[in-house]
Amino acid sequence: MGINNIRVAVVGAGPLAREHLRAFKDVQGVELVGICSRTESKAKVIANEFDLPIITSSLVELNEK
């Protein structure tokens, strides 16, 4: 992570999560870091697709990482 990077995570693992991640992945200065979802299996699929290191069902945990 560069000094000016913005860390981005998404909440939810539905179709819009993918759209947001696609939109952010090529933006200079943005680092995709995680996904928060109640549905772990869906979150894992998206995390693997976008190489997201954080998968959680807790917004508190997501914010702490």
Side-chain angles (χ1 to χ4, degrees), residues 9-30:
V10 293
V11 177
L16 287 179
R18 277 192 175 84
E19 292 304 316
H20 286 108
L21 290 165
R22 281 186 192 116
F24 278 115
K25 76 175 186 166
D26 294 323
V27 176
Q28 185 175 8
V30 169

Side-chain angles (χ1 to χ4, degrees), residues 26-37:
D26 294 323
V27 176
Q28 185 175 8
V30 169
E31 177 187 11
L32 300 178
V33 296
I35 185 167
C36 178
S37 176

Side-chain angles (χ1 to χ4, degrees), residues 7 11-14 27 33 35 38 40 43-44 48 54 60 62:
R7 294 169 44 103
V11 177
V27 176
V33 296
I35 185 167
R38 293 179 299 172
E40 184 179 6
K44 284 183 177 181
N48 287 334
I54 301 168
V60 172
L62 181 64

